[in-house]
Amino acid sequence: MRKLVFALLAVALLVIAAGCESPKANVKTEKTLTIDEVTVHYSGDVSLSQAKAILNFVRDNFQINGETDVYVSKSGNAYTVKVTTPYESSGDIDGKTAFYVKTMASKMSQDVFNGAELTLKLLNGDEKEVFSAESKYAYIESNGITVWYAGVSEDDAQKVLDYAVSFAGSGPWDIFIDGSNPYTVSAMSSFKGREEIGDAESAYRKMVSDLSERLGGKVILRVLSPSGEEIARFTS
């Protein structure tokens, strides 16, 4: 019996030393897809069609400066996408860029992964993380106007979008709606501070009143700067 135990231990040590795995182990092999300057690295948990979609998404929505690597992985039902960028540290990420990346995490989630949880990470040249954002919103759009929504139904989001189109005609314009009772509606603007709003204040007051009527509840309207910072607030 002792000889048998020693023999089994010897076999186990040989397997470990050789780096082998049990035949039942889930062995993941990295694959790559390259088009022009963008290379997507992905595992067996990510499909080729998803890799293609990610590659096209990065090319369409990110400024490509030279060779760009994208790493896509999946854990459970959540995805992580890492993109190499020219940024060297978190200090290089200004407010406007940070806000854009946050919306892109949600857009990528919906466009590529059917709304699955997603974390989008920016890497520097040494492939160290300099910024990270998680998906939060679904979105609908029309006439260049996009409504991003979380915690409310698509029907409510559509009411906001229909109103925004009637209000502004066309975009580009991004509006965010979070939750109900009250509804928090955040509207992007070109204003950098409260003092720049001027005559537009009456339009915002009308907007909050009209949205309250359409949504059937109290509305808090937040006016955002291009960096996504609140510069004014109006309530119904």
Side-chain angles (χ1 to χ4, degrees):
M1 177 63 71
R2 179 177 292 182
K3 290 182 178 179
L4 178 59
V5 171
F6 282 135
L8 290 174
L9 286 172
V11 170
L13 289 172
L14 285 172
V15 170
I16 294 171
C20 297
E21 298 184 62
S22 165
K24 295 182 179 180
N26 181 21
V27 181
K28 299 179 181 179
T29 302
E30 183 185 88
K31 304 173 185 177
T32 60
L33 174 66
T34 302
I35 298 179
D36 296 330
E37 295 181 308
V38 180
T39 298
V40 175
H41 307 257
Y42 63 105
S43 72
D45 290 334
V46 178
S47 68
L48 175 59
S49 62
Q50 289 174 328
K52 289 180 178 177
I54 281 291
L55 190 149
N56 290 329
F57 186 97
V58 170
R59 293 173 70 193
D60 293 342
N61 294 281
F62 288 76
Q63 185 175 353
I64 303 300
N65 294 305
E67 298 293 333
T68 300
D69 288 288
V70 183
Y71 301 89
V72 188
S73 60
K74 182 181 181 183
S75 178
N77 294 319
Y79 293 86
T80 299
V81 178
K82 303 177 183 179
V83 184
T84 57
T85 71
Y87 303 113
E88 289 300 320
S89 68
S90 58
D92 295 332
I93 310 292
D94 60 24
K96 190 172 183 179
T97 300
F99 191 75
Y100 180 79
V101 174
K102 291 176 182 178
T103 59
M104 285 303 100
S106 292
K107 181 175 174 62
M108 183 183 290
S109 167
Q110 180 165 317
D111 289 359
V112 180
F113 300 110
N114 297 316
E117 180 182 342
L118 181 143
T119 301
L120 175 59
K121 299 185 177 186
L122 304 187
L123 308 179
N124 63 15
D126 295 325
E127 298 192 352
K128 293 182 179 179
E129 180 183 324
V130 295
F131 188 77
S132 177
E134 296 181 356
S135 60
K136 178 181 179 180
Y137 298 97
Y139 76 91
I140 53 177
E141 56 188 350
S142 177
N143 289 28
I145 299 175
T146 304
V147 172
W148 308 83
Y149 61 98
V152 299
S153 66
E154 185 175 342
D155 287 342
D156 281 341
Q158 188 65 54
K159 291 175 184 177
V160 175
L161 179 59
D162 291 342
Y163 176 77
V165 171
S166 68
F167 181 84
S170 62
W173 194 18
D174 291 278
I175 300 174
F176 301 81
I177 177 169
D178 293 86
S180 57
N181 195 30
Y183 295 92
T184 300
V185 178
S186 304
M188 295 297 298
S189 78
S190 59
F191 305 122
K192 296 181 180 179
R194 179 70 173 78
E195 68 282 356
E196 295 183 12
I197 293 178
D199 294 340
E201 181 171 334
S202 60
Y204 284 123
R205 293 193 180 279
K206 175 174 172 52
M207 182 178 177
V208 71
S209 176
D210 291 345
L211 285 177
S212 177
E213 182 177 343
R214 294 208 179 193
L215 292 170
K218 183 178 180 180
V219 171
I220 299 172
L221 176 63
R222 302 170 64 240
V223 182
L224 305 182
S225 71
S227 298
E229 299 173 346
E230 181 183 322
I231 58 173
R233 176 177 291 217
F234 304 94
T235 58
S236 58

